[in-house]
Amino acid sequence: MPPPEPARADDSRPTPAWHALEGDAVLQQLHTTARGLSAADATARLERHGENRLADTPPVPLWRRVARQFDNLLIWVLLAAAAITVAIGHGIDAVVIVAVVVLNVTIGLIQEGKAERALAAIRNLLAPRAHVWRDGHLVEIDAAHLVPGDIVQAAAGDSLAADVRWLQVHELQVDEAALTGESVPVDKRADPVPTEAMLGDRRSMGYAGTLVTRGQGRGVVVATAMATEMGRIGRLLQDVGDTTTPLVRQMAQLGRWITLVVLAAAALLFVFGWWVRGLPALDTFMAAVGLAVAAIPEGLPAIMTITLAIGVQRMAQRRAIVRRLPAVETLGCVTVICSDKTGTLTRNEMTVQQVVLADGLVDVEGVGYAPTGALLRGDVPLQPAELWREAPALLALAEGAALCNDAELLQGEGGANDWRLSGDPTEGALLTLAMKAGLDPVRLAEERPRVGVLPFESERRYMATAHRRGDGAGTRIDIWVKGAPERLLAMCSHELDAHGRPQPLRRAEWADQVERQARQGRRVLAIATGTLPSHRPFTHDAVAGDLVLVGLVGIIDPPREEAKAAVAQCRAAGIRVKMITGDHVVTARAIAHQLGLGSGAPALSGQAIEALDDAALREAVQTTDVFARAAPEHKLRLVRALQANGDIVAMTGDGVNDAPALKAADVGVAMGHKGTEAAKRAAAMVLADDHFATIAHAVEEGRTVYDNLRKVITFLLPINGGESISLLVAVLFGLALPIAPVQILWVNMVSSVALAMVLAFEPTEADVMRRPPRQPGEPILSRFVLWRIGLVSALFAVGIFGVYRWALDAGHPADVAQTLAVNTLVAMEIFYLFSVRYLKAPSFTWTGVRGTPRVLAAVAVACGLQALFTYAPFMQGWFGSAALPLPLLALSAGAGVAVLAVLELEKALLRATR
Ligand code: ATP
């Protein structure tokens, strides 16, 4: 009989009330077992049900996207101007204005599309993963490949990728706010609930898009993709937040103000010219329209959006995925980066190097997860087969290491040394140790089946398991506990001696051994054992107090080389780096030292942080760089303390409990590999590779984006300024306009946009990471930028007016003089583009003059467009332009060179007087 098809969105059959069925019945109906599907079955089901994805929101229709472009005051001003020009019989001008509007809308559409595509690509990088049992192994897969019947495993911090019926839960709590709006996490159970239970009361179910906040659970997938509850209500998870940033909003606002002010000024100008000066109404009206067009920075918002999108794309290429756009700007202001240690600053490749037993040390040879390497006492190798006699305590420790462990090591195809880890690296290191001691973890787990587990939590810092040993009357339950030594020492009363017999615990000696291991930068774990009385439930209380300490293991996790360089780079950039770790204080300090960190005050432990009040903590964070034995709640206090001191804080995190600190930080940074979905959702940025160096790269890119935004503004505003001044002067003095309104439109919407686009792609300036961080409140139109805009506006106005008057005086006709003015303006823009690429540094370096290929291409495009404008008969008809003889072109170019020369002189003066 073919398996019945589970519910699909287009299925008219009612979905079984999975929540009301017993777990076994659900498994049966879905033709699966508690051990999961085979890979072949999963593939077949995937074909039948399709990928587990919610359908994308339908694309916005073209007309709507076009309509959106008209949500712009300027467009309406232009259309009104076109209507009036038609009314007064200037048909050609109207056509040109409308053509320019169409061109602008088209450019807007293309740019918007580009920016959106860039962001959508980034959204895809954040595709969720799921842990699922396939062929009897727990594997991590792309959540899109989940199928009904899959057995999934979820733990605190995971988001559920499909609807599941829970089969087994341990203190499981799920936040279902995304689905039900209920903000308090709900306890989950494996027992059925009444059929009529509402969505929010179905304790036996977990729904796609919701977040596990506590505990663990195993469940069977009952619905995927559009058949899930989330799919039914057609709600998409908002993955990437805001699509704009404070700065861009600010500039859009500024643009609106400029538009209003300019409109008022244009009206005044019209009244003044027509009434006071007695100029012809038509000419004055055209001058007023010209002024409006000249003064409004039409292209600015679109180019700013593109600059941001390109910055975000570049960050993604460097493996920093921005989830919230404003973070791009904030990154440039960051003054402190608080980083986790394990996996971010270090490699997270754990290897046990030494074992401490009551009667001495055992060195462990080998690196990585391959179980090859001898165990040495002194210089003498121990024989695994003889351990039960030669070193019973070591054998006991190896058993504990293998049993109290959720990781799995699988041999790859790359030879004897190719072993792959599935699970936590610390546990992987312990499994390798157990195998070096001659144990087979799989067989051991079968001989001593696990009957209870208290999973590792970073607050408790230990993990405990219970195992049945023996049969019938001889059955007893062993407890194995592993975790942070100071926790375990407090839970033990005895230690195992050289013969494997319990003796009273020598606390001070062990504490001393822990310190010695830690001083070498090793992560230290203690392993203890005990027996569970048959009547007692397996709880945290049951394992506290009466355990027998078996020994310690010292694990190395070497620092990442790139992290060392990145820490130095951050320091040069005026950014302090702080390390926050769950590890032992002494270990943390040793690693910090290797990374070039923590030369300041001594490391502070989580306990010490708790003892400080907020004021004292504010004081302490100024000098302390290493925080050890810290729990997630300490991270939140650290962020607040740093922020209270005026710092802009980037904070990394991976666990579900890190979410509040990630949210509170100015830039929350989640780990892409190690991080939970909860941390990723709370973060503004996700590191695709978990490396600290990636944060430094992101800061560098953040600073570059800001530089480029500033260059775009500094480039575009003086063009408007120069044009407005020329027009104002002309009308005020009753002179003819040096550039006609339609010609201004041409310059603003075509030539300038083509040139300004390259600034969005500008590469990073050499000194970006040698400057101090930008002040967060610093206006982008700083005094310097305003001065530069004013200066260049004046130069442009002089250039435009100068060549225009000169041409008239030299006897050239008016259309030639105007065409000369337009070409001169564009030439000045081109040379200014080279200047603006380096706001303060000289542009006359070889790289500066040569520019990037992109700059040269833009210049070629602008020149080509100008040639069309000047020499193509149809353009001459439209824009009233005229062919220029070569000497006049040379004059335009000369004006451009002059502008560049003046600006280089200004830069040199500024540098000299600094
Ligand atoms: P960092 O904060 O630098 O990233 P971390 O997050 O790995 O470090 P935790 O995972 O909180 O730090 O570990 C803190 C301590 O808990 C470790 O020093 C170790 O003693 C203990 N520990 C770590 N992993 C386990 C585990 N799987 N089982 C038991 N104890 C563990």
Side-chain angles (χ1 to χ4, degrees):
M1 185 186 78
E5 295 223 347
R8 298 176 66 154
D10 54 3
D11 209 335
S12 51
R13 272 180 301 152
T15 326
W18 301 114
H19 55 276
L21 297 178
E22 287 291 343
D24 286 344
V26 177
L27 291 175
Q28 216 169 20
Q29 285 213 20
L30 290 168
H31 289 256
T32 183
T33 69
R35 288 185 56 76
L37 300 173
S38 68
D41 191 359
T43 312
R45 290 187 191 217
L46 187 63
E47 226 152 75
R48 210 161 57 233
H49 295 278
E51 293 216 324
N52 176 33
R53 282 185 213 280
L54 293 187
D56 283 333
T57 33
V60 183
L62 184 66
W63 69 266
R64 208 180 271 260
R65 283 191 291 145
V66 173
R68 237 182 0 219
Q69 298 297 323
F70 284 86
D71 181 19
N72 178 340
L73 193 51
L74 173 82
I75 301 270
W76 291 105
V77 172
L78 288 178
L79 289 177
I84 298 174
T85 14
V86 170
I88 54 183
H90 275 224
I92 294 206
D93 280 353
V95 170
V96 172
I97 294 177
V98 171
V100 169
V101 168
V102 169
L103 190 66
N104 193 261
V105 165
T106 315
I107 292 178
L109 277 178
I110 293 173
Q111 288 184 333
E112 204 176 75
K114 244 184 168 171
E116 257 170 30
R117 272 198 304 281
L119 296 180
I122 282 157
R123 224 168 277 156
N124 281 342
L125 291 178
L126 293 169
R129 321 262 315 155
H131 288 100
V132 36
W133 289 88
R134 292 269 173 92
D135 285 330
H137 292 293
L138 188 60
V139 291
E140 192 181 317
I141 61 166
D142 183 346
H145 296 154
L146 281 179
V147 291
D150 258 330
I151 303 293
V152 289
Q153 192 89 29
D158 291 348
S159 82
L160 297 178
D163 287 2
V164 299
R165 167 70 171 80
W166 297 115
L167 300 173
Q168 226 178 48
V169 299
H170 178 84
E171 296 185 357
L172 183 67
Q173 278 190 349
V174 180
D175 175 355
E176 298 189 327
L179 188 65
T180 61
E182 171 64 55
S183 59
V184 183
V186 191
D187 285 314
K188 293 291 177 181
R189 303 193 296 245
D191 318 319
V193 295
T195 317
E196 62 282 3
M198 303 297 291
L199 206 58
D201 297 327
R202 297 183 188 165
R203 297 293 167 95
S204 54
M205 298 291 294
Y207 295 105
T210 62
L211 207 58
V212 179
T213 53
R214 218 182 124 189
Q216 295 177 320
R218 182 189 283 212
V220 52
V221 172
V222 297
T224 58
M226 295 310 282
T228 61
E229 289 299 328
M230 200 61 101
R232 273 168 212 267
I233 57 174
R235 197 184 303 167
L236 261 191
L237 278 177
Q238 203 58 46
D239 243 355
V240 175
D242 322 355
T243 50
T244 182
T245 75
L247 179 62
V248 172
R249 263 201 302 274
Q250 223 174 312
M251 291 314 293
Q253 177 91 3
L254 180 73
R256 275 196 292 278
W257 273 108
I258 293 182
T259 309
L260 286 176
V261 171
V262 166
L263 285 182
L268 274 179
L269 185 81
F270 176 69
V271 172
F272 175 85
W274 177 53
W275 220 19
V276 180
R277 286 244 166 232
L279 299 173
L282 189 64
D283 290 352
T284 323
F285 174 74
M286 289 313 285
V289 171
L291 177 71
V293 173
I296 298 171
E298 294 87 0
L300 192 56
I303 293 185
M304 289 189 67
T305 310
I306 268 282
T307 309
L308 268 179
I310 286 164
V312 168
Q313 227 170 3
R314 277 190 188 164
M315 287 188 190
Q317 275 158 11
R318 300 186 78 172
R319 314 192 68 75
I321 302 157
V322 171
R323 293 188 72 244
R324 286 188 238 292
L325 265 192
V328 180
E329 274 170 29
T330 321
L331 271 169
C333 309
V334 162
T335 57
V336 178
I337 302 175
C338 297
S339 174
D340 284 341
K341 172 178 76 65
T342 307
T344 310
L345 289 164
T346 65
R347 289 221 268 253
N348 208 10
E349 285 163 11
M350 306 266 181
T351 310
V352 177
Q353 273 198 322
Q354 208 164 46
V355 176
V356 186
L357 300 166
D359 61 334
L361 302 176
V362 176
D363 287 312
V364 184
E365 286 188 330
V367 285
Y369 298 119
T372 42
L375 307 177
L376 306 168
R377 185 143 51 189
D379 285 335
V380 188
L382 292 164
Q383 294 308 317
E386 299 296 321
L387 281 189
W388 61 275
R389 193 172 50 210
E390 288 182 5
L394 181 59
L395 188 63
L397 181 123
E399 282 179 5
L403 287 171
C404 186
N405 201 317
D406 283 330
E408 202 178 349
L409 284 178
L410 299 169
Q411 186 152 27
E413 278 142 24
N417 283 329
D418 179 22
W419 285 77
R420 310 238 164 97
L421 166 72
S422 152
D424 174 43
T426 306
E427 299 194 341
L430 293 176
L431 274 190
T432 305
L433 173 70
M435 286 158 81
K436 285 176 182 170
L439 297 179
D440 175 354
V442 177
R443 233 186 53 212
L444 190 66
E446 277 164 12
E447 285 166 16
R448 318 257 188 93
R450 190 190 275 192
V451 292
V453 57
L454 302 170
F456 174 74
E457 287 166 24
S458 42
E459 288 83 6
R460 295 194 198 269
R461 282 196 217 101
Y462 68 80
M463 165 178 177
T465 52
H467 302 262
R468 195 171 56 230
R469 188 213 286 253
D471 282 324
T475 305
R476 57 172 231 224
I477 305 285
D478 287 340
I479 300 175
W480 285 101
V481 188
K482 72 173 197 300
E486 65 272 28
R487 287 302 305 240
L488 261 72
L489 281 175
M491 292 155 73
C492 291
S493 57
H494 289 78
E495 65 186 49
L496 216 57
D497 72 5
H499 310 289
R501 283 187 302 252
Q503 303 291 344
L505 184 69
R506 298 165 300 148
R507 236 173 259 283
E509 281 82 349
W510 285 104
D512 186 44
Q513 289 292 349
V514 171
E515 174 97 10
R516 277 186 205 201
Q517 291 292 323
R519 231 179 284 136
Q520 299 172 65
R522 293 188 186 137
R523 154 171 284 206
V524 199
L525 238 66
I527 295 183
T529 186
T531 311
L532 186 71
S534 55
H535 58 276
R536 277 196 85 168
F538 189 52
T539 61
H540 287 287
D541 286 340
V543 295
D546 214 16
L547 296 176
V548 180
L549 184 68
V550 183
L552 305 174
V553 291
I555 302 177
I556 49 150
D557 176 20
R560 290 181 189 277
E561 277 307 313
E562 337 73 274
K564 222 183 276 183
V567 166
Q569 193 187 27
C570 287
R571 292 201 149 180
I575 301 168
R576 286 172 294 147
V577 179
K578 299 191 184 286
M579 183 171 104
I580 301 176
T581 170
D583 238 327
H584 195 276
V585 178
V586 180
T587 312
R589 212 164 46 210
I591 298 281
H593 183 72
Q594 293 172 21
L595 285 162
L597 266 177
S599 45
L604 213 57
S605 73
Q607 251 178 347
I609 295 175
E610 268 162 38
L612 297 177
D613 64 9
D614 287 347
L617 187 61
R618 277 181 62 175
E619 189 83 16
V621 293
Q622 292 185 350
T623 47
T624 310
D625 289 342
V626 180
F627 301 88
R629 283 295 186 235
E633 69 267 19
H634 300 136
K635 284 190 172 176
L636 185 59
R637 279 195 69 201
L638 288 174
V639 168
R640 297 236 164 96
L642 285 163
Q643 285 173 333
N645 286 340
D647 277 311
I648 305 295
V649 187
M651 166 68 84
T652 68
D654 47 22
V656 59
N657 300 335
D658 288 334
L662 293 183
K663 272 196 194 134
D666 298 280
V667 182
V669 182
M671 300 301 146
H673 280 305
K674 207 167 73 134
T676 57
E677 200 63 26
K680 289 183 202 168
R681 284 199 202 172
M685 189 168 90
V686 177
L687 304 181
D689 56 7
D690 295 10
H691 295 188
F692 177 80
T694 304
I695 309 177
H697 293 155
V699 168
E700 188 179 328
E701 291 295 345
R703 290 183 173 193
T704 305
V705 170
Y706 194 86
D707 276 358
N708 290 354
L709 288 174
R710 191 161 53 186
K711 286 173 191 174
V712 166
I713 293 170
T714 320
F715 177 71
L716 281 179
L717 288 186
I719 299 173
N720 300 104
E723 290 164 347
S724 316
I725 297 173
S726 321
L727 257 74
L728 271 177
V729 170
V731 175
L732 292 180
F733 292 97
L735 306 168
L737 299 184
I739 304 184
V742 286
Q743 295 173 339
I744 289 179
L745 267 184
W746 164 263
V747 173
N748 286 6
M749 292 184 147
V750 183
S751 320
S752 307
V753 170
L755 290 173
M757 272 300 283
V758 301
L759 294 175
F761 294 91
E762 273 296 276
T764 305
E765 284 189 36
D767 70 337
V768 172
M769 290 303 268
R770 291 197 294 271
R771 304 178 206 148
R774 171 167 56 87
Q775 295 286 324
E778 182 186 307
I780 194 157
L781 295 174
S782 63
R783 286 238 293 277
F784 168 72
V785 170
L786 282 174
W787 147 255
R788 180 59 71 70
I789 290 174
L791 173 70
V792 179
S793 299
L795 288 175
F796 280 8
V798 169
I800 294 169
F801 234 90
V803 295
Y804 175 71
R805 297 301 310 176
W806 173 85
L808 288 184
D809 290 348
H812 291 288
D815 55 355
V816 170
Q818 280 193 331
T819 311
L820 177 66
V822 171
N823 277 311
T824 305
L825 174 57
V826 175
M828 290 188 294
E829 279 183 31
I830 289 175
F831 282 93
Y832 180 46
L833 181 67
F834 283 97
S835 163
V836 91
R837 295 182 63 213
Y838 305 93
L839 280 181
K840 293 187 183 169
S843 307
F844 277 129
T845 57
W846 175 232
T847 29
V849 174
R850 201 177 38 148
T852 56
R854 220 183 270 278
V855 177
L856 297 183
V859 170
V861 168
C863 290
L865 287 169
Q866 278 318 110
L868 267 185
F869 175 87
T870 313
Y871 298 105
F874 75 96
M875 293 289 262
Q876 292 173 346
W878 281 20
F879 289 97
S881 50
L884 294 185
L886 219 54
L888 290 192
L889 280 187
L891 179 67
S892 299
V897 173
V899 166
L900 184 58
V902 171
L903 289 177
E904 286 307 300
L905 197 66
E906 179 236 20
K907 285 188 196 174
L909 281 177
L910 282 178
R911 280 196 302 274
T913 53
R914 198 168 44 183

